[in-house]
DNA sequence: CAATGACGATAACATTTGTTATCAGTTTTA
DNA sequence: TAAAACTGATAACAAATGTTATCGTCATTG
């Protein structure tokens, strides 16, 4: 099996039963893309045509708010999916941009192939449901964290969960992710 | 058709094709529950066993944070679903409590019947997927609002979208929903 | 009907967080 | 390799938001 598809196969297999034949047919439609650091693979306002699976590297999902300021919404690490799922599903302009923070390899899954999967794979609809549910869980946790945890607690949780995040992601992006200013994060860190 | 099921049939029909036979078998498992004002139908920490469909009345979804303070997370109006979907799906202790703000009638859909539906209904899995997606959209919008809009803008949007909300929901719950203090909301309102 | 509690406005004050600017060290780029 | 851009710390100040307390009105309850 194409080595780049190994992990994605593993992830999908954890959701549904998929046999060899199905996988060969399904994965034949994957496309692979190399993205250079700082390159943007989805621009806010464009319709999001693909779900990206990060094989290696790192993506940043962000948007520009009404005051023209970038807000970092999510970091997509290796072996996770990244997309504007609402734009992707509804074919409406994306609210987010997605940018590579490092040279990154992604597997592209188009809307068409995902929807074909609903019919072609025996458990295609189930896969769709579980993916939607999984995405939902992420957002649910995110909202709860915002409501219940102070920025510094969220920061500590983040660095505990991803110990090398500080080596890979500039601190002001993390501040933006926490929805506080970079100055404030610096203060919080150095006074706790 | 049982009149209380009319709306829920309408909503489900908007998601998938469901014929009369399927509907009769499916809806026969619904249970109806009357909840008195202030009554709690889901307690934080319990496993959420049902999805609630609000026939009439009004529910408040909230949780108690680490400082012992209630944070209102969501208001469930007529003809919408309400639940702790993560607790419900994963059978883990609920992060939320759900309380009636008015005398309320709900239709209960248990985990078992929803999952039976995945098999019994021709489009059961699709229904599950679309419900998960729909729930996801709500959360996506919620997070975006938090990141991009100031509390007073969110307040104005809320009152524009639900003009009678002020008659039905105490203001301090709305403040909690906006994640600001009730004093601050009062100030914002009366100074804009 | 009286007592109690819930509700929302307001004031005074404390705390948190943002803004702007500067600086030194580092990385990127031409 | 030199210039430019990026990064994070820090200080000084401004703005936003929270906390506590008080008050009058209204709704609920016994």
């Amino acid at each position: 099996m194409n080595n780049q598809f190994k992990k994605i196969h593993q992830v999908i297999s954890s959701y549904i039963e998929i046999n060899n034949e199905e996988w060969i047919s399904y994965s034949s439609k994957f496309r692979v893309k190399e993205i250079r650091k700082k390159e943007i693979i989805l621009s806010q306002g464009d319709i999001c045509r693909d779900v990206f699976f990060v094989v290696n590297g790192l993506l940043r999902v962000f948007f520009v708010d009404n005051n023209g300021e970038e807000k970092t919404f999510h970091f997509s690490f290796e072996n996770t999916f990244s997309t504007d799922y609402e734009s992707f599903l509804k074919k409406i302009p994306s609210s987010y941009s997605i940018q590579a923070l490092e040279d990154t390899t992604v597997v592209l899954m188009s809307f068409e192939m995902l929807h074909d999967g609903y019919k072609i794979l025996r458990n295609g609809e189930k896969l769709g449901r579980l993916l939607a549910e999984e995405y939902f869980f992420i957002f649910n946790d995110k909202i709860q964290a915002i409501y219940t945890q102070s920025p510094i607690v969220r920061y500590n949780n983040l660095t505990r969960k991803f110990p090398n995040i500080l080596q890979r992601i500039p601190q002001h992006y993390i501040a933006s992710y926490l929805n506080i200013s970079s100055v404030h994060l610096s203060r919080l860190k150095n006074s706790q």
Side-chain angles (χ1 to χ4, degrees), chain A:
Chain A
M1 186 187 307
N2 183 325
N3 202 44
Q4 279 159 333
F5 297 164
K6 205 166 181 176
K7 263 289 177 184
I8 196 170
H9 177 254
Q10 213 168 305
V11 171
I12 289 178
S13 294
S14 75
Y15 286 130
I16 58 165
E17 201 195 301
I18 182 168
N19 65 31
N20 218 11
E21 193 180 357
E22 286 175 313
W23 176 251
I24 287 168
S25 138
Y26 195 59
S27 64
S28 70
K29 290 164 190 153
F30 290 157
R31 284 178 304 134
V32 176
K33 193 169 184 178
E34 304 285 339
I35 313 153
R36 299 294 304 275
K37 181 171 178 172
K38 290 191 180 174
E39 199 178 326
I40 290 195
I41 51 171
L42 172 67
S43 293
Q44 193 170 352
D46 290 356
I47 292 174
C48 178
R49 302 285 180 190
D50 298 281
V51 169
F52 309 107
F53 181 83
V54 180
V55 176
N56 56 56
L58 176 55
L59 301 178
R60 178 174 78 103
V61 182
F62 67 97
F63 47 77
V64 177
D65 71 9
N66 303 324
N67 305 321
E69 279 166 28
E70 276 189 11
K71 300 274 189 168
T72 297
F73 177 69
H74 189 70
F75 301 112
S76 300
F77 291 96
E78 284 93 350
N79 301 321
T80 65
F81 294 101
S82 191
T83 187
D84 180 341
Y85 205 35
E86 183 157 11
S87 167
F88 176 81
L89 291 173
K90 293 185 175 174
K91 296 181 188 290
I92 58 175
S94 170
S95 318
Y96 303 100
S97 294
I98 301 182
Q99 178 192 38
L101 291 185
E102 305 170 350
D103 292 350
T104 298
T105 306
V106 296
V107 174
L108 302 185
M109 306 164 67
S110 72
F111 184 83
E112 290 67 32
M113 74 163 288
L114 221 71
H115 262 254
D116 287 351
Y118 293 159
K119 299 166 205 151
I120 293 169
L121 304 177
R122 284 165 305 149
N123 295 308
E125 281 284 358
K126 184 176 180 185
L127 176 62
R129 171 171 65 84
L130 293 175
L131 285 176
E133 287 177 1
E134 195 60 37
Y135 233 91
F136 166 78
F137 295 148
I138 293 172
F139 276 55
N140 191 28
D141 294 348
K142 212 181 261 283
I143 288 194
Q144 271 189 45
I146 291 172
Y147 271 85
T148 59
Q149 291 163 9
S150 67
I152 189 64
V153 170
R154 293 176 63 209
Y155 175 82
N156 289 333
N157 288 343
L158 193 67
T159 52
R160 182 148 27 81
K161 195 166 176 186
F162 304 104
N164 66 347
I165 197 173
L166 296 176
Q167 280 73 56
R168 297 178 72 183
I169 302 179
Q171 184 170 292
H172 65 276
Y173 285 153
I174 297 177
S176 165
Y177 174 81
L178 297 173
N179 208 9
I180 62 177
S181 71
S182 60
V183 175
H184 189 47
L185 175 56
S186 179
R187 268 189 304 229
L188 289 174
K189 273 180 60 181
N190 295 104
S191 74
Q192 73 170 320

